Amino acid sequence: MSQNSGNSNNLVVPQAFGALDQLKYEVAQELGIAIPQDGYYGNMVTRDTGSIGGSITKRLVQIAEQQLAGRF
């Protein structure tokens, strides 16, 4: 995934880009979905990209909950 992939999402912590990119590949592998090596997602089914995004969101929420639970 290139940093300038045409979306308008801005990372609050730009250094997190690498970790999020790695998470994307891990989740895709767990789901059995191949990420295009050329970075072009136009041939992917919307269901697959949505599954990856939804799983990433779920995992990020779990991480945040664990961190919050440790603070209180």
Side-chain angles (χ1 to χ4, degrees), residues 6-62:
N7 68 34
S8 61
N9 295 338
N10 295 317
L11 295 177
V12 175
V13 181
Q15 297 83 356
F17 178 80
L20 290 172
D21 200 43
Q22 179 64 31
L23 183 58
K24 173 182 67 176
Y25 284 98
E26 289 174 15
V27 167
Q29 184 177 13
E30 289 171 10
L31 296 173
I33 300 170
I35 301 268
Q37 295 301 314
D38 62 1
Y40 177 69
Y41 292 84
N43 294 326
M44 289 188 70
V45 186
T46 304
R47 182 178 341 149
D48 289 345
T49 57
S51 294
I52 293 169
S55 294
I56 289 172
T57 302
K58 189 182 298 184
R59 183 149 330 153
L60 290 173
V61 168
Q62 288 173 341

